[in-house]
Amino acid sequence: MNDNFEQRLRRQPLRTIPPEWRADILHAARAADHPAPTHRPQPIPAFSFQFSFRWGALAAVWLVIFALNYAARDTAPVVTAKSAPPSPQMLLALRQQQKLLAELIDPPAPSDADKPKPISPRPRSELRLQFLTT
Amino acid sequence: MLANLERLYDQHAQPLFAFLLNFTRDESDTCDLLQEIFTKLARQPALLQAARDERAFLLRLAHNAAIDLMRRRGARTRNHEQFGAEQFSIFAAASDPDAAAFRHELSAALGELPPDQRAVLHLKLWENLTFEQIAAALEIPPNTAASRYRYGLDKMRERLRPLYEEIK
């Protein structure tokens, strides 16, 4: 019975694929292979690309500034050598200069002629009387 | 690539359709799975280059895709729902009432089988694959394929015996 039964099953024709599926399935596969460009707004990338020219111009300005700054800077190498210890003659001359400078800056002691008159402690009424009599 | 895709469709779409329809018991799912398979082939043309047997490779793709789909949806409920559909059949319509009744019962009996046994039965009976080819397509050992076939065929025989004896 097995052979007959199997043969009987084998003889049953299966359903055929609907013909209209072919176009749909191949079209879908083709679309997946070459996805159409989408024009959906993409917030951040679109924003950045929209202003790309301005960002580029700003970068160029900064480059010019850096170039000018680089060209104008002092090209002489800065030497920071240790200075030699001063000689005793130099120290002596320096002290003399300092002394002279101090003398020039400090005012001399005032003479007696320049001293202010001493104020005699008198009552204010006497002063008024002296003024009137004068 | 498009020409190759069309060739693949013309050569293999019908057996893939029958296999998927028998496995999923749903025409809409079958269409979706076929589209998924051919989309995958369009995106990765190199997939088939390493395949020794195109048909076996495509059947394996179809089987894996169908299993994924059933896992996503819950295979048992889906099968029972489909089994309840009176009009559903994986076989062509027959003008002869006896043949129509037998095909209807055969389709229903196949739907009662576990999907693993149903897949083996389908590939053996309607694709004429050897157990080695079935094992390669379903990624199971050949002995497992043979035993699933025996169990499945026995169930079918028991299930269809009254009708088969009647119209024999």
Side-chain angles (χ1 to χ4, degrees), chain A residues 12-88:
Chain A
Q12 305 306 314
L14 297 165
R15 272 174 59 183
T16 53
I17 188 169
E20 63 271 17
W21 285 18
R22 186 182 191 276
D24 294 342
I25 289 172
L26 290 179
H27 178 74
R30 234 175 287 142
D33 190 23
H34 302 291
T38 56
H39 297 286
R40 284 183 302 173
Q42 296 173 348
I44 293 174
F47 181 79
S48 62
F49 282 120
Q50 187 180 358
F51 296 106
S52 60
F53 176 75
R54 294 178 190 183
W55 285 114
L58 189 61
V61 168
W62 274 107
L63 281 177
V64 169
I65 290 172
F66 279 126
L68 289 175
N69 189 30
Y70 183 78
R73 74 174 185 172
D74 188 8
T75 53
V78 178
V79 179
T80 55
K82 263 189 172 178
S83 57
S87 62

Side-chain angles (χ1 to χ4, degrees), chain B:
Chain B
M1 180 56 211
L2 178 61
N4 191 38
L5 207 62
E6 289 179 346
R7 177 191 66 79
L8 287 171
Y9 187 92
D10 293 337
Q11 288 185 0
H12 305 294
Q14 172 58 38
L16 291 176
F17 166 79
F19 175 74
L20 287 170
L21 190 65
N22 195 2
F23 197 83
T24 63
R25 322 293 292 179
D26 187 280
E27 194 171 304
S28 172
D29 285 347
T30 299
C31 184
D32 290 344
L33 290 171
L34 273 179
Q35 190 165 307
E36 183 182 324
I37 291 165
F38 281 93
T39 300
K40 194 171 188 176
L41 292 174
R43 280 183 179 155
Q44 305 171 48
L47 272 179
L48 272 172
Q49 288 174 1
R52 283 179 299 179
D53 183 355
E54 276 187 353
R55 176 69 58 84
F57 178 78
L58 291 173
L59 283 169
R60 185 162 71 214
L61 275 185
H63 183 244
N64 291 338
I67 285 178
D68 287 344
L69 182 73
M70 292 175 80
R71 280 179 184 157
R72 285 199 298 269
R73 293 187 177 174
R76 289 181 182 176
T77 48
R78 190 82 185 156
N79 281 338
H80 283 298
E81 284 170 9
Q82 291 303 327
F83 178 61
E86 290 293 325
Q87 299 301 319
F88 179 83
S89 175
I90 67 163
F91 297 104
S95 55
D96 177 53
D98 287 344
F102 183 75
R103 289 177 195 176
H104 183 265
E105 284 303 308
L106 176 57
S107 182
L110 281 167
E112 293 173 26
L113 290 179
D116 292 340
Q117 292 178 11
R118 191 162 68 237
V120 173
L121 236 70
H122 182 97
L123 295 178
K124 182 70 178 165
L125 290 173
W126 290 287
E127 290 300 325
N128 293 316
L129 298 188
T130 64
F131 287 126
E132 284 75 19
Q133 289 172 315
I134 293 171
L138 303 183
E139 296 174 293
I140 54 175
N143 287 339
T144 306
S147 63
R148 284 180 185 174
Y149 179 74
R150 272 198 312 273
Y151 288 132
L153 195 64
D154 287 346
K155 286 180 188 172
M156 295 289 288
R157 195 188 312 112
E158 290 303 313
R159 168 76 163 74
L160 296 172
R161 186 190 296 276
L163 187 63
Y164 180 73
E165 295 292 337
E166 183 182 334
I167 63 177
K168 188 163 60 173

